[in-house]
Amino acid sequence: MENKEKKNHHFVPQIYLSKFAHSTELKGKKKHYFVSTYDKNENIENSKNDVKNICFKSKLYTIDSSKREKRESIENFYAETIENDYNRFYNIITNDKKIKISIEERGLIITTIINLHLRNFFWVKAINDFWTDLIKGYDISNSVSIYGENGEVFFPLEEQRVEKVISTHKEGNKQIFIKEHLQKTLNLSKSHCNDIIFVDKVTNDIGFVTSDRPVICTNISGSFSLPIDRNYILTVMPNKEKADYNPENIIRNNPFIDSKIFNLMQYENAMRHIIGFNLNEIKQAKSDYEKANIANSGFPQ
C-alpha cells in the first residue's frame, strides 16, 4: 500500500525540537518527544506538548504540481539531507572536546543554522501580512483595480472578490518562498563560509529556551544564534574585525554568555510558541521580557 502524501510540514524540524524534550513515550513503533510550551497568542502554558503538534503548517513546502514526486520534493529533500544530518551536527556542537573541524563539518554547521533561519514560516507570514494590509487598505469604492507604476493591473478588485484575491496571492507567495529559500540558503551559506563559530554552554541554573522562530538574526550579513538544547547555544559571526581566527576551530565557552539574555531575545523573536525543557525557564523569559519592556517605556517597574 502506498504511503500517504505528507500534509503537516514542520518549519522547525521535530528532530531539532526533540533535543529540548523532558520526556519521551513509545506509541506503537514511533517515539514521541514532549516539551514545555507557552502560547503567546492564547496565553496558554503546556507542560507536556508533543513536538509533532507544534511548529508546522499544512503543505507549507508542497510544490504546485500534478505529480506527487514533484509536489513532495522539498519536504523529501529536507528529510533526506538537513534533518538526516542533524544528529551529526548536534554531536559536533555538544561535544566539549571537539575543537577542530573539517571543511565538511564547517559547511554542515553554517548551512544548518542558515537553513533553519530561511525555511521558517515567519517569512511567508510576513509577506502575506504585507499584501493583505495593502489590499484591504485600498479604497475600492473609487476603483475596481490596483495599478502599478506603469499602469499595469496588479489586482482586478471588486468588493466581493477581495478575500479571493488575498487567498490567491497567499498561494503565490508560498510558491515563491518554496522556490527561493533553498537557493538563498546556498547563497547565504557561501557568504558566511568563513564566519567565526562560537559554541557556548550554560553557566547558571537557567537553561536555554527556543521557539517557533529559533534563529536569532537581526541582519543576514550579521550573526546567527541558535539554541541547540537546554545547555548549548551556537553562534556564527562574520570576522569583520579581521581577528586572528583559524577556520578549523570552534571557539568554546565565552564566559560572558548569559542564558537569560538569550531567552529574553528568543521570547521576543517568537511568532507564537516559546519552547523549552521546563515551564520555569519559559516563565523566566516571559518575566524578563515584560520587565525590559516596562524599563524601555520609561514607566516605573
Side-chain angles (χ1 to χ4, degrees):
M1 183 176 176
E2 187 180 13
N3 293 331
K4 290 183 179 179
E5 191 165 346
K6 297 174 185 176
K7 180 180 179 182
N8 294 339
H9 296 172
H10 283 78
F11 53 86
V12 181
Q14 293 183 70
I15 193 167
Y16 167 78
L17 296 173
S18 71
K19 307 305 182 185
F20 292 84
H22 55 66
S23 60
T24 61
E25 290 180 14
L26 196 61
K27 297 182 179 181
K29 295 182 179 180
K30 189 169 183 180
K31 194 173 186 179
H32 289 247
Y33 296 84
F34 296 92
V35 293
S36 299
T37 61
Y38 173 67
D39 187 327
K40 289 168 65 174
N41 293 353
E42 304 294 334
N43 192 26
I44 294 174
E45 296 175 353
N46 189 336
S47 62
K48 191 177 180 182
N49 206 342
D50 194 328
V51 300
K52 77 180 183 65
N53 295 328
I54 53 176
C55 303
F56 72 86
K57 296 298 292 185
S58 178
K59 299 185 178 181
L60 176 62
Y61 303 121
T62 299
I63 293 175
D64 187 11
S65 174
S66 59
K67 297 181 179 180
R68 177 178 172 178
E69 183 179 350
K70 178 70 172 176
R71 287 196 303 272
E72 292 193 287
S73 58
I74 301 297
E75 177 70 1
N76 289 337
F77 170 79
Y78 279 138
E80 295 165 5
T81 56
I82 300 291
E83 292 166 24
N84 190 51
D85 288 334
Y86 190 82
N87 278 331
R88 186 158 66 96
F89 161 84
Y90 177 82
N91 290 335
I92 293 170
I93 302 302
T94 59
N95 180 355
D96 291 333
K97 296 180 180 180
K98 181 78 169 174
I99 303 297
K100 295 290 184 181
I101 53 173
S102 66
I103 293 175
E104 181 195 10
E105 289 170 332
R106 164 170 280 275
L108 175 64
I109 292 169
I110 301 295
T111 301
T112 299
I113 193 171
I114 288 177
N115 179 257
L116 285 177
H117 179 59
L118 292 178
R119 70 182 282 183
N120 198 274
F121 176 68
F122 169 82
W123 303 110
V124 182
K125 183 179 183 300
I127 193 66
N128 283 344
D129 289 347
F130 170 81
W131 282 111
T132 298
D133 290 344
L134 176 66
I135 294 168
K136 285 188 173 181
Y138 195 77
D139 184 6
I140 62 172
S141 62
N142 295 324
S143 176
V144 294
S145 299
I146 295 179
Y147 296 91
E149 293 181 359
N150 299 320
E152 71 277 22
V153 176
F154 276 169
F155 307 111
L157 284 177
E158 297 172 6
E159 199 162 350
Q160 67 273 21
R161 295 184 63 233
V162 170
E163 293 303 324
K164 187 175 188 322
V165 170
I166 291 172
S167 176
T168 300
H169 209 72
K170 282 183 176 180
E171 179 58 30
N173 290 338
K174 189 184 84 167
Q175 294 302 316
I176 292 171
F177 163 77
I178 291 169
K179 294 174 182 177
E180 291 188 353
H181 80 276
L182 279 175
Q183 186 60 50
K184 287 180 178 178
T185 294
L186 180 62
N187 294 342
L188 198 55
S189 296
K190 288 180 179 178
S191 70
H192 285 269
C193 67
N194 292 315
D195 280 11
I196 303 174
I197 297 175
F198 298 91
V199 175
D200 296 291
K201 195 173 182 179
V202 71
T203 56
N204 51 32
D205 294 333
I206 302 295
F208 294 110
V209 301
T210 189
S211 73
D212 53 12
R213 192 184 169 207
V215 180
I216 297 172
C217 172
T218 56
N219 187 315
I220 59 171
S221 65
S223 65
F224 297 80
S225 292
L226 174 73
I228 300 300
D229 59 17
R230 184 176 182 270
N231 296 312
Y232 291 89
I233 190 165
L234 164 70
T235 299
V236 297
M237 182 183 297
N239 190 1
K240 293 181 179 179
E241 303 300 321
K242 304 300 180 184
D244 186 16
Y245 171 67
N246 185 344
E248 294 180 355
N249 289 349
I250 292 175
I251 298 177
R252 292 186 178 270
N253 301 323
N254 180 343
F256 303 106
I257 290 295
D258 187 340
S259 58
K260 290 179 67 176
I261 293 175
F262 276 95
N263 289 352
L264 183 157
M265 295 167 66
Q266 194 66 238
Y267 186 94
E268 182 177 34
N269 207 48
M271 290 182 288
R272 178 173 180 177
H273 286 109
I274 317 301
I275 301 153
F277 182 81
N278 61 56
L279 282 177
N280 288 337
E281 290 166 350
I282 295 174
K283 289 178 180 178
Q284 182 70 58
K286 181 175 183 290
S287 174
D288 289 341
Y289 174 78
E290 290 171 347
K291 287 177 182 177
N293 273 358
I294 292 172
N296 290 335
S297 70
F299 292 106
Q301 296 189 41

